[in-house]
Amino acid sequence: MGSEAEDKIEKDGGASDSECKADTGVPEVPPPADDTPEVLNKALSGLSSRWKNWWVRGILTLAMIAFFFLIIYLGPMVLMMIVLCVQIKCFHEIITIGYSVYHSYHLPWFRTLSWYFLLCVNYFFYGETVTDYFFTLVQREEPLRILSKYHRFISFALYLSGFCMFVLSLVKKHYRLQFYMFGWTHVTLLIVVTQSHLIIHNLFEGMIWFIVPISCVICNDIMAYMFGFFFGRTPLIKLSPKKTWEGFIGGFFSTVVFGILFSYLMAGYRYFVCPVEFSNDSNSFTVDCEPSELFQLQDYTLPSVLESITVLRESLYPFQIHSIALSAFASIVGPFGGFFASGFKRAFKIKDFANTIPGHGGIMDRFDCQYLMATFVNVYIASFIRGPNPTKVIQQLLALRPDQQLHIYNSLKAHLTERGLLAALEEAA
């Protein structure tokens, strides 16, 4: 269906015949070579390709899980740097596919402009984050205060420069392909950079909002593969022939149970549940607070049918209830990020985005579902969890002029007096 639509566009488009001719015959992307370590190849040489792949994926999965726990131990700053590195690598893998097609036409500036736009978008998003979460630090340092004040104008000027460079790079007979690649770059930025920025925002809400969703996606990926490998019989979707209903359903129930148990384990530690904040006194990140009601044990009356299920207890952290929604999304909707990536790869007749991780493909192959999950978590927090933040309000008030602060003080005092709250506090004192 997609190829028919593309053929129709080629025939009916407004470009000249010579331009259509120049933009057809796009070469296929060469498949990446097998990068399985020689040690594993020798150790598993006697196995069939099916079981060899199973062992390679299993060993590398355990290694990645160990690395994941290591970066959690190293703290939020390292996590943010890893997110940035993953974002850059995912962007590189997708752009490389486009460059493999584009480079054969010897057209200028595609790769240069792609990385320039990545720089511009990261400057914009990280500048917004710094202004939002490091407000007092920004106001304290004069250069940062100026950059913060004009941040959006600078970001727009940077992007506009790239836009003008793209227009100047247009080559006759290849306009359509160049605009196609311009769209390619911007869609990649939308998918990769925007959603990695949301991951960092989730992290600032508390490391638990970063770790649990990612762990749920990992659990679903592993359990769906296990159930599909051993019990899979019924194909799930044509885009991914190896995906089965047995794996999909097994992954769902396993992920929900895992989410409840894992949330119970993490909700008891302040290090994971407290928002990540920047301390002006120590000039470092802190994760210490009085846990909110979301992370305090509450008594619930369970239906008699559920009382026999050992996973559910009468005393639960409210976050565990939220974890059911996170787990359900990770196992029902999350895989569609993988199906989307499968469709993309099929369009270019490639198996994986790259061969960075033997048995798993590229970094983008591992994070196709994670980016979709990050957006859901950010929307979920904004819709059902996050409330007004007094700390940020006070920070903004302290940045105002003295006369503005006095005006707000008098207005707030009059409002509290009118509601009788101020008098009640004075009587209590």
Side-chain angles (χ1 to χ4, degrees), residues 1 39 116 142 336 404:
M1 184 175 179
V39 176
Y116 177 80
E142 184 65 19
F336 279 83
Q404 293 174 322

Side-chain angles (χ1 to χ4, degrees), residues 17-42:
D17 292 340
S18 59
E19 183 178 339
C20 291
K21 197 171 187 178
D23 284 351
T24 56
V26 176
E28 295 176 10
V29 180
D34 181 17
D35 246 10
T36 306
E38 190 63 29
V39 176
L40 287 178
N41 276 329
K42 288 182 179 180

Side-chain angles (χ1 to χ4, degrees), residues 104-400:
S104 63
Y105 289 87
H106 304 290
L107 300 176
W109 296 5
F110 165 62
R111 195 157 57 175
T112 302
L113 282 174
S114 295
W115 287 102
Y116 177 80
F117 283 127
L118 176 68
L119 177 67
C120 292
V121 174
N122 270 311
Y123 175 81
F124 171 74
F125 279 126
Y126 278 92
E128 293 285 306
T129 300
V130 168
T131 302
D132 192 21
Y133 289 98
F134 309 100
F135 185 81
T136 53
L137 174 65
V138 169
Q139 293 301 315
R140 194 174 61 194
E141 302 292 336
E142 184 65 19
L144 292 179
R145 190 180 65 80
I146 294 172
L147 286 174
S148 173
K149 182 177 181 181
Y150 301 106
H151 171 67
R152 296 193 176 185
F153 180 81
I154 295 171
S155 300
F156 177 72
L158 289 172
Y159 178 83
L160 202 59
S161 300
F163 178 81
C164 293
M165 285 190 288
F166 167 74
V167 174
L168 293 173
S169 73
L170 291 173
V171 177
K172 189 177 181 180
K173 296 186 180 181
H174 294 296
Y175 295 145
R176 179 179 299 175
L177 180 61
Q178 288 185 280
F179 277 102
Y180 162 68
M181 299 312 298
F182 183 78
W184 178 298
T185 300
H186 282 68
V187 170
T188 304
L189 291 171
L190 176 65
I191 293 173
V192 175
V193 182
T194 305
Q195 298 188 72
S196 64
H197 176 70
L198 296 181
I199 291 177
I200 292 178
H201 270 239
N202 298 341
L203 178 60
F204 275 109
E205 296 295 329
M207 290 177 66
I208 196 169
W209 291 105
F210 174 88
I211 297 169
V212 169
I214 286 180
S215 300
C216 285
V217 173
I218 294 172
C219 174
N220 182 70
D221 191 36
I222 294 172
M223 297 310 297
Y225 178 76
M226 296 286 285
F227 275 92
F229 186 87
F230 289 107
F231 309 109
R233 295 291 182 275
T234 313
L236 175 64
I237 186 170
K238 290 182 179 180
L239 280 173
S240 296
K242 293 183 180 180
K243 299 290 193 299
T244 63
W245 275 104
E246 290 81 4
F248 185 78
I249 295 170
F252 168 74
F253 285 107
S254 301
T255 305
V256 171
V257 172
F258 169 81
I260 294 172
L261 294 174
F262 192 54
S263 298
Y264 180 82
L265 177 66
M266 297 198 67
Y269 296 92
R270 293 188 180 188
Y271 179 73
F272 295 122
V273 304
C274 289
V276 178
E277 296 179 343
F278 185 80
S279 172
N280 293 303
D281 298 328
S282 60
N283 284 330
S284 62
F285 290 101
T286 60
V287 284
D288 188 29
C289 68
E290 186 63 34
S292 65
E293 292 183 359
L294 198 62
F295 304 106
Q296 296 178 10
L297 284 172
Q298 307 283 342
D299 291 330
Y300 293 91
T301 303
L302 300 176
S304 56
V305 179
L306 300 178
E307 286 181 353
S308 59
I309 302 177
T310 55
V311 174
L312 299 175
R313 303 160 55 100
E314 290 187 359
S315 294
L316 298 172
Y317 293 104
F319 180 79
Q320 287 181 271
I321 299 174
H322 293 290
S323 75
I324 297 174
L326 301 179
S327 302
F329 185 91
S331 53
I332 296 175
V333 183
F336 279 83
F339 301 153
F340 178 86
S342 295
F344 180 89
K345 288 182 285 188
R346 279 180 170 272
F348 290 92
K349 300 180 181 179
I350 56 175
K351 182 182 178 183
D352 299 310
F353 283 97
N355 56 358
T356 310
I357 311 170
H360 291 269
I363 299 296
M364 190 64 203
D365 290 287
R366 294 298 91 213
F367 279 82
D368 46 14
C369 302
Q370 295 288 5
Y371 284 130
L372 190 61
M373 187 72 190
T375 305
F376 171 74
V377 173
N378 191 269
V379 172
Y380 189 89
I381 292 173
S383 301
F384 304 109
I385 305 298
R386 186 189 295 129
N389 190 331
T391 303
K392 289 185 179 180
V393 173
I394 291 173
Q395 289 176 348
Q396 292 173 343
L397 287 176
L398 294 176
L400 298 176

